[in-house]
Amino acid sequence: MNVLIFEDEKRSADRLQMLLLQCDPHMVILAVIGSIQEGVAWFEDNPPPDLIFQDIVLEDGICFDLFAQVDIQTPIIFTTAHSDYALRSFEVNSIDY
């Protein structure tokens, strides 16, 4: 499974990567992306991943700004402490929050 992680806090990103690889050592983490701008560029140059782990707040805004710029059809699991966006997350391919 090819996975993309959106997380701007290094410690959180490292922890998530470790947990994912413990669950499935064959999982491929394609990239860890910390900003909307970086995410837009990544989707322009790469095929879609099988699954996205998505933080809400990134270096340069909230993730919904990314979804306004890129049509993402990949299933998304939101990994965030922000409960304010739970309902909004299910408008964009979210399978868990």
Side-chain angles (χ1 to χ4, degrees):
M1 175 179 292
N2 293 323
V3 172
L4 185 61
I5 297 174
F6 280 86
E7 176 59 67
D8 61 333
E9 295 179 16
K10 180 168 177 20
R11 186 172 180 206
S12 295
D14 290 347
R15 174 94 171 126
L16 180 56
Q17 288 180 81
M18 181 191 70
L19 291 171
L20 292 173
L21 293 173
Q22 281 179 354
C23 290
D24 182 357
H26 302 290
M27 187 175 296
V28 176
I29 298 171
L30 300 170
V32 176
I33 297 173
S35 71
I36 295 158
Q37 182 179 1
E38 185 183 354
V40 170
W42 191 91
F43 278 102
E44 288 175 354
D45 296 334
N46 295 281
D50 299 315
L51 182 63
I52 297 171
F53 287 87
Q54 179 73 58
D55 189 18
I56 295 285
V57 179
L58 300 171
E59 291 172 2
D60 56 353
I62 62 170
C63 67
F64 300 105
D65 296 336
L66 169 71
F67 302 131
Q69 297 178 55
V70 179
D71 181 30
I72 298 174
Q73 297 300 313
T74 301
I76 303 165
I77 296 175
F78 282 86
T79 55
T80 183
H82 295 276
S83 62
D84 300 345
Y85 299 101
L87 291 177
R88 190 170 176 192
S89 73
F90 287 97
E91 296 172 4
V92 294
N93 263 16
S94 176
I95 58 172
D96 203 356
Y97 192 91

